[in-house]
Amino acid sequence: MTEVRYNWTKEEIAEIYHRPLLDLVYEAATVHRENKDYSEVQISSLISIKTGGCPEDCAYCPQAARYNTGVDVHAIMPVNEVILAAQKAKDGGASRLCMGAAWREVRDNRDFDKVIDMVKAVNELDMEVCCTLGMLNEHQAQRLADAGLYAYNHNLDTSEDDYKRIITTRTYDDRLKTLEHVRKAKLTVCSGGIIGLGETVEDRISMLKTLSNLPKHPESVPINALVPVQGTPLADQPRVSVWDMVRMIATTRIIMPKTVVRLSAGRTEMSLVEQAFCFMAGANSIFAGEKLLTTPNPSFDTDMAMFELLGLTPRKAFKNGRPGKVENVEEAVES
Ligand code: SAM
Ligand code: DTB
Ligand code: SF4
């Protein structure tokens, strides 16, 4: 069985990242196949429960209030609408629902009470519930855990050194602190990044080093390709090469062998063959449903046809048990 390591150095990660492409993919596929269930792909569906008007200045984000992106600002969604959307996602094959809010941080107010109700309701549908709500403290993480939250998404996006170029309204350390609070509440961690922001390869490697040197690897690592949005400072970034996406996924798979690696934003620009390469390189999760948060994504039907063609199957929810309802939570969450 593949050894799980937490002490990867930048040099080691760079050596993996720069291997001849086919050697890299072969190695990643081998690691992936040493771990069971390699043909299963986790399907997660996104829903934007609170859209736009965010006070942060993330240079890639269409939901930042300071950029003119044409995204309409919406107040928090009613709980019953979230339940309907969750049911639709489940019918489409999703086992996880990720609820996103355009917030800088969670505040202890009525909107957060509503999120707690949403978490409880979606949990009742037997879906894994994930939230991405910005920064939070220990107490807020615990409230979410008590409501039945399964995972918390909080991306590092790029390297620590590059962070200030992309976001000035919070620090890398703020981000890492939230991840600690999430861990303390025994939630599973979903944390990854974006490529195509204008970062260097060293930045990508440095971000992977940070993720793989956390006390425990995130249970899922989303790798997003920038979706350039008009009005944001990164609107004119050239589309990232699919080979960079493959290298990033394969390297993540090799250094975090047990982690679910999600081929995230950017799939509408990728052909089926390009996506197949990403699955070969060890991706075993996608966001499905025709919208990410505010930008388009392939439909459930298109993705199901792709799964059929490639011989992939959707992974069931809580395959290894629900945290809190199994003897060994650590094992259930990690496997
Ligand atoms: N506001 C919360 C936060 O920042 O954590 C949650 C929502 S935020 C939209 C979630 C993640 O979406 C970001 O961390 C970023 O990685 C990703 N994202 C946002 N805009 C994107 C874009 N245009 N292309 C690719 N990924 C994007
Ligand atoms: C993640 O890593 N990517 C998702 C999810 N986690 C929250 C969001 C992608 C957003 C793409 C831009 C948009 O649709 O607004
Ligand atoms: Fe706000 Fe999150 Fe977008 Fe940053 S990424 S502007 S915090 S919604």
Side-chain angles (χ1 to χ4, degrees):
M1 215 45 174
T2 327
E3 186 202 356
V4 179
R5 285 181 47 196
Y6 301 88
N7 59 353
W8 291 99
T9 62
K10 281 190 196 169
E11 292 70 29
E12 285 174 315
I13 300 172
E15 184 276 314
I16 295 170
Y17 184 95
H18 289 293
R19 279 184 197 167
L21 191 92
L22 294 183
D23 290 347
L24 173 62
V25 172
Y26 184 82
E27 167 79 15
T30 307
V31 168
H32 194 32
R33 265 144 217 264
E34 276 168 12
N35 291 291
K36 60 186 162 66
D37 308 334
Y38 59 84
S39 65
E40 284 189 352
V41 176
Q42 180 210 45
I43 302 186
S44 189
S45 185
L46 277 167
I47 157 168
S48 182
I49 57 169
K50 193 269 158 193
T51 308
C54 184
E56 298 284 78
D57 69 352
C58 312
Y60 49 75
C61 188
Q63 303 200 68
R66 64 192 74 204
Y67 313 133
N68 236 328
T69 61
V71 165
D72 291 333
V73 179
H74 290 281
I76 195 156
M77 257 169 101
V79 179
N80 61 334
E81 276 182 33
V82 172
I83 299 173
L84 288 176
Q87 185 62 54
K88 192 173 160 216
K90 188 178 174 181
D91 295 343
S95 59
R96 177 176 290 198
L97 187 81
C98 177
M99 303 191 280
W103 288 336
R104 174 175 201 271
E105 76 245 304
V106 173
R107 304 227 167 122
D108 295 305
N109 57 17
R110 295 230 298 269
D111 280 358
F112 187 43
D113 295 342
K114 265 198 194 160
V115 174
I116 296 292
D117 290 342
M118 291 172 192
V119 171
K120 288 182 183 157
V122 179
N123 207 24
E124 294 275 299
L125 294 178
D126 276 333
M127 295 181 88
E128 295 171 8
V129 198
C130 173
C131 277
T132 181
L133 314 169
M135 294 179 279
L136 44 65
N137 62 33
E138 265 181 66
H139 175 68
Q140 292 160 338
Q142 192 56 52
R143 261 191 90 190
L144 286 164
D146 292 343
L149 193 76
Y150 190 85
Y152 196 78
N153 166 256
H154 201 63
N155 291 338
L156 294 180
D157 288 333
T158 182
S159 71
E160 183 166 13
D161 287 349
D162 194 35
Y163 207 65
K164 292 171 284 302
R165 186 180 62 89
I166 302 297
I167 300 147
T168 70
T169 47
R170 58 172 187 257
T171 65
Y172 215 59
D173 211 41
D174 289 333
R175 231 42 201 173
L176 291 169
K177 283 222 176 68
T178 290
L179 291 181
E180 269 175 37
H181 300 150
V182 170
R183 270 286 174 233
K184 226 171 180 177
K186 300 231 163 16
L187 292 163
T188 69
V189 168
C190 172
S191 187
I194 309 179
I195 63 168
L197 301 169
E199 74 287 347
T200 62
V201 169
E202 288 68 38
D203 290 317
R204 294 175 190 168
I205 286 160
S206 171
M207 181 186 80
L208 289 180
K209 176 180 183 247
T210 305
L211 290 169
S212 64
N213 280 239
L214 288 170
K216 216 174 152 197
H217 292 167
E219 282 75 9
S220 46
V221 172
I223 304 293
N224 295 276
L226 175 73
V227 181
V229 177
Q230 274 316 307
T232 64
L234 300 181
D236 298 324
Q237 276 297 315
R239 196 193 141 198
V240 72
S241 153
V242 71
W243 304 120
D244 286 18
M245 201 67 182
V246 169
R247 283 190 184 279
M248 217 35 207
I249 288 171
T251 307
T252 309
R253 167 55 60 223
I254 293 168
I255 66 172
M256 292 180 269
K258 308 254 184 215
T259 288
V260 169
V261 181
R262 187 172 304 120
L263 166 57
S264 303
R267 286 195 306 116
T268 45
E269 298 298 319
M270 291 170 75
S271 70
L272 198 153
V273 176
E274 290 172 337
Q275 293 183 62
F277 236 100
C278 292
F279 294 122
M280 194 69 201
N284 59 345
S285 175
I286 55 166
F287 283 121
E290 57 218 19
K291 219 173 188 194
L292 290 166
L293 289 170
T294 64
T295 61
N297 194 46
S299 72
F300 276 120
D301 291 350
T302 312
D303 283 336
M304 283 308 126
M306 172 173 76
F307 275 34
E308 177 87 31
L309 187 81
L310 301 179
L312 300 171
T313 48
R315 174 176 156 141
K316 299 235 174 345
F318 309 110
K319 208 179 149 203
N320 304 296
R322 261 180 215 239
K325 293 201 179 165
V326 285
E327 289 285 300
N328 188 342
V329 176
E330 302 262 308
E331 222 170 66
V333 163
E334 272 197 352
S335 47

